Amino acid sequence: MATLFEPAQVGQLSLATRVVMAPLTRNRAPGALPTELMATYYAQRADPHNGAGLIISEATAISHQAQGYADVPGIWNDEQVQGWKRTTQGVHAVGGKIVLQLWHVGRVSHVDLQPGGQPPVAPSAITAKTKTVLIKNGLAEFVDTSAPRALALDELPGIVQDYRHAARNAIAAGFDGVEVHAANGYLLDQFLRSGSNQRQDAYGGSIENRARLLIEVMQAIADEIGGGKVGLRLSPVTPANDAVDALPQPLFTYVLQQLAPLRLAYLHLIEGSTGGPRDYQQGPSAFDYAALRHAYRSAGGTAAWMVNNAYDRALADSALADGADLVAFGRLFIANPDLTRRLREGAALNKPDRMTFYGGGAKGYTDYHSLSS
Ligand code: 8OZ
């Protein structure tokens, strides 16, 4: 069994350790443009012996339509590609690795964030019972999501194309790969789950149909940049953003069996309720993650298995002993740029300040201290 601090070959990514910095939305990219301050923040966490063996960027919109929150970054135009280069260069300068998380929020958006003030798009015209964030006069404000419209069948190839284009841009910006965000009730998760997908065409109804868009997106991206540079994030039972499905176990088993031939770099599983109880349950019985992994391996799947949600050192060690390959840490990385060193040395951890999670500047972002050497 490997320990957290040993190297791992993850598809085409050679990682120095198994400690991963989880994707973290921080809302510090006005106009969807990545900034110099963001480059500083990522570089602070990028040296793999003190910081992360792999950084997963904050969720990044693949198109204007894909945006659902104020001041989140994008990856659909050249200016954004140029802006992200500062981040990838800073990470690589200290020997780190970073992938970009590709995001389409679907119905978790607001008309004020959409092109031309149009309604957000979704599998079906069902409003998500959740909030999003607008920034008005410099202040973050939680608002209800807007009523979405259902995507027409002939719009779906364009969504797949937007993912493909964004993946190509990510490589052009210097990222080592991409992670597709299909978790937490956003567009791809909305298609997967029966609560948000009530389509009657080839993309709704049966498990096979609800999984179709995600599988097409993964195939397109693997075709564009190579499966060994592609990760996927799933959250089989989370209720985040009004995500509901009556039978998650057969749904996610089917998805992973279909994806096995793509030889993806890694699968990133949020266990339980995102940022909440790890034993959260949807469906008739507790979700069996070991059975899911076994089904994937039996189908020939080779991707590294990354686990996430409220991990500390002890839980991470036991997950690795149980066969996980990588462990993602979110909130701990906000407050501890040198989290890997602190975990290795058993040092005290800085506490994250919730008030500065979303929006603002350097405070609560680039001013957390590392241990002095
Ligand atoms: C917190 C705030 C806004 C977005 C997710 C991308 O839940 C997010 C997110 C988290 O995956």
Side-chain angles (χ1 to χ4, degrees), residues 23-27 58-60 69 72 101 103 105 132-133 142 181 183-186 233 240-241 270 274 358:
L24 295 159
T25 290
R26 306 303 305 274
N27 307 73
E58 64 206 273
T60 298
Y69 300 82
V72 297
Q101 198 197 47
W103 194 27
V105 298
T132 183
V133 177
F142 285 89
H181 192 351
N184 295 347
Y186 297 112
R233 191 177 215 212
N241 293 311
I270 301 172
T274 312
Y358 309 116

Side-chain angles (χ1 to χ4, degrees), residues 135-308:
I135 294 181
K136 288 193 172 161
N137 306 320
L139 294 175
E141 193 180 306
F142 285 89
V143 294
D144 290 338
T145 55
S146 303
R149 70 174 178 86
L151 282 159
L153 186 60
D154 67 6
E155 289 178 282
L156 299 182
I159 300 277
V160 176
Q161 182 53 32
D162 287 344
Y163 275 99
R164 182 190 279 269
H165 176 245
R168 190 186 318 140
N169 278 353
I171 299 301
F175 286 96
D176 297 293
V178 300
E179 172 177 291
V180 175
H181 192 351
N184 295 347
Y186 297 112
L187 184 73
L188 296 170
D189 204 19
Q190 290 158 28
F191 269 84
L192 288 176
R193 296 186 196 228
S194 55
S196 43
N197 183 346
Q198 298 182 3
R199 298 178 74 91
Q200 298 188 340
D201 58 15
Y203 292 81
S206 64
I207 283 176
E208 290 79 358
N209 283 356
R210 282 183 275 130
R212 194 176 308 281
L213 183 66
L214 171 61
I215 292 165
E216 288 179 357
V217 164
M218 297 308 291
Q219 278 168 340
I221 295 173
D223 176 54
E224 187 67 35
I225 68 170
K229 292 183 185 165
V230 184
L232 171 64
R233 191 177 215 212
L234 298 170
S235 53
V237 299
T238 197
N241 293 311
D242 201 14
V244 179
D245 195 89
L247 287 172
Q249 193 84 42
L251 170 63
F252 287 91
T253 301
Y254 174 80
V255 166
L256 289 200
Q257 285 170 334
Q258 293 300 302
L259 295 178
L262 294 186
R263 305 192 79 76
L264 299 175
Y266 68 84
L267 295 167
H268 181 178
L269 276 291
I270 301 172
E271 298 162 330
S273 172
T274 312
R278 292 179 45 78
D279 58 0
Y280 189 88
Q281 187 170 324
Q282 284 202 34
S285 52
F287 196 88
D288 187 341
Y289 297 93
L292 180 68
R293 190 172 68 213
H294 182 74
Y296 175 66
R297 297 277 181 243
S298 298
T302 54
W305 196 263
M306 184 190 298
V307 293
N308 180 294

